[in-house]
Amino acid sequence: MLAFPSTYSVGITSLGYQIVWATLAQRADVDVRRLFTDQSDPLHRHIDLFGLSLSWELDGPVLPELLRNQRIPIWAVDRSDADPIVFGGGPVLTANPEPLAPFFDAVLLGDGELLLPAFIDALQSCRQAPRAERLRRLAGVPGVYVPSLYAPRYHPDGTLLSVEPIDPDLPSVIEKQTWRGNTLSHSTVITPEAAWPDIHMVEVVRSCPELCRFCLASYLTLPFRSASLDDGLIPAVEKGLAATRRLGLLGASVTQHPQFDDLLTWLDRDRFDDTRVSVSSVRAATVTPELARILTKRGSRSLTIAIESGSERMRQVVNKKLSTEEIHAAASHAKQGGLRGLKLYGMVGLPTETDDDVDATADLLLTLKKNTAGLRFTLGVSTFVPKAQTPFQWQGVRPEADKRLKRLAKRLKPKGVELRPESYGWSVIQALLSRSDRRLAPVIAAVGEARESMGGWKKAYRAALNGELEPMPGQASPPPPPWRDVIEENWDASRTLPWTHLRSAITPERLREHHDLALPPDHRAPG
């Protein structure tokens, strides 16, 4: 059974979920069924595997409920030989699976193209063996993390010291696996019931070469890879357009594909006149009148660019290689090409940010609106959330971000700029899930359906701090760190990170170098 922790319309739009499902469904030795929070395929009487695809931190706490509904013990340590192996994957679990680790038997770190077949092959080779033996076999597959075989050690004051294998034969560090083929993923399901109805999604690039210091999509998924135009992209587009006339080109930096102009020229042919083409966020410096013209011709009304901040200084801090002039040029080119709107994404609460930097964002939007009359501007703005495996993983959430969201609204809304702020409160919960260790698992189990409210999270966390929650079975653990320590504190370089035993594309030492390049010493924690 392959689960997605949200509704069908949301889950079926996830390209990662679709690809995992298709990979399993194509195997003769696997009969896979889908499960969403609002519906499921007909279920087997007996389930050998229960998988979860997770791409968004706030979806993770749905897992215990999904397991209970299937009558599967929520804690891995409580499962018997007759219970399914519960496994998960996706960017959230690859970055830091520890808050959810006690619920999983195995976590797949990295790209699924090679990792998933190796995982299934390993299980099939020992299918009739006792559960403990199967888990040992899985731990030998590169990129497969078996949490029960790794134990956290704590200082008497509750500080995390390490996460170590329980047996010297196990690797001390588990490395993310990377797919290096010249083809990437595309939709295997096209349906009007999806959140993006009847769209065929094609992954153009994976990762991003820009390396903004807060960005999980850049650092976690390195190296930057692009699909072959002739062997990957064009066949994928042709396959999808046999079923629909809506095409979505996906990737963190689509227009930086080395042959993107050639792809655009191909899509400009008369045979695609009835096809609607949309692209995900593009780098502002790559926006041209020709790009805007072809997208307009193919039914797009707007373009999305990430600016992070209107302040040149802040863009330098986060390593956003983008000038104010390039942002203005992108707006001008979008209008010149016939587009009606420009959506910009930014952040508040970034390290070292001041009110003046936030005002610079408002000033930029108002100047763009004045200088590009007739173009509709939308600013999506979120609060900075530290993500594991990025240079800013040591930085905390800044409480003043909440006021800065309101500051932007006060400046922009009366002037006709649409503002779409993400909730500061839910950014706090994202940070809690992003930076915590296994001691958050009892909180996740206890919060239950109250996870939909901030009050529910804070109440469950207070109960954990006071020793009032039912403990996890197995090894005893101290209470979790104080709420503020996890969410708001800047951590020093010597601190043991919850994900210290998991390795992405760049070493922690190199990530720290990137961190220290960005921030003056007075904005760093000691270390």
Side-chain angles (χ1 to χ4, degrees), residues 331-351:
S332 176
H333 294 336
K335 181 182 177 182
Q336 184 180 342
L339 293 170
R340 300 178 188 176
L342 189 65
K343 299 177 182 178
L344 300 94
Y345 280 115
M347 282 187 177
V348 295
L350 287 160

Side-chain angles (χ1 to χ4, degrees), residues 173-368:
V173 174
I174 304 97
E175 295 191 2
K176 174 190 83 99
Q177 299 300 292
T178 301
W179 167 249
R180 299 179 184 274
N182 68 346
T183 59
L184 296 176
S185 57
H186 61 83
S187 293
T188 58
V189 177
I190 299 169
T191 172
E193 297 178 36
W196 298 338
D198 295 318
I199 192 167
H200 179 64
M201 298 174 289
V202 176
E203 187 183 17
V204 177
V205 296
R206 189 172 294 179
S207 192
C208 176
E210 296 306 299
L211 296 181
C212 293
R213 293 182 173 113
F214 58 83
C215 184
L216 192 65
S218 281
Y219 281 87
L220 184 71
T221 57
L222 285 171
F224 178 66
R225 287 149 286 166
S226 54
S228 164
L229 180 66
D230 294 326
D231 298 331
L233 293 179
I234 288 178
V237 171
E238 295 278 23
K239 183 176 182 179
L241 293 185
T244 184
R245 305 311 292 179
R246 291 197 64 191
L247 174 66
L249 303 178
L250 304 186
S253 191
V254 171
T255 50
Q256 287 180 273
H257 188 289
Q259 294 176 288
F260 190 77
D261 287 344
D262 296 331
L263 177 63
L264 272 186
T265 300
W266 182 69
L267 289 171
D268 196 29
R269 296 177 180 180
D270 291 344
R271 59 175 287 217
F272 298 112
D273 281 349
D274 63 342
T275 301
R276 182 175 177 181
V277 178
S278 58
V279 298
S280 57
S281 180
V282 303
R283 186 167 179 254
T286 64
V287 178
T288 64
E290 183 70 357
L291 169 67
R293 180 192 68 79
I294 294 174
L295 291 178
T296 300
K297 183 178 176 182
R298 292 291 169 257
S300 288
R301 297 180 180 179
S302 64
L303 195 63
T304 301
I305 62 173
I307 61 167
E308 316 317 342
S309 175
S311 162
E312 290 261 14
R313 185 190 74 83
M314 285 310 308
R315 292 198 297 274
Q316 291 173 3
V317 167
V318 302
N319 199 35
K320 188 74 177 181
K321 306 172 190 73
L322 180 63
S323 69
T324 300
E325 291 73 23
E326 287 171 324
I327 298 171
H328 280 279
S332 176
H333 294 336
K335 181 182 177 182
Q336 184 180 342
L339 293 170
R340 300 178 188 176
L342 189 65
K343 299 177 182 178
L344 300 94
Y345 280 115
M347 282 187 177
V348 295
L350 287 160
T352 78
E353 178 191 77
T354 66
D355 285 346
D356 288 343
D357 294 314
V358 178
D359 287 338
T361 299
D363 291 340
L364 173 64
L365 267 292
L366 295 176
T367 303
L368 286 170

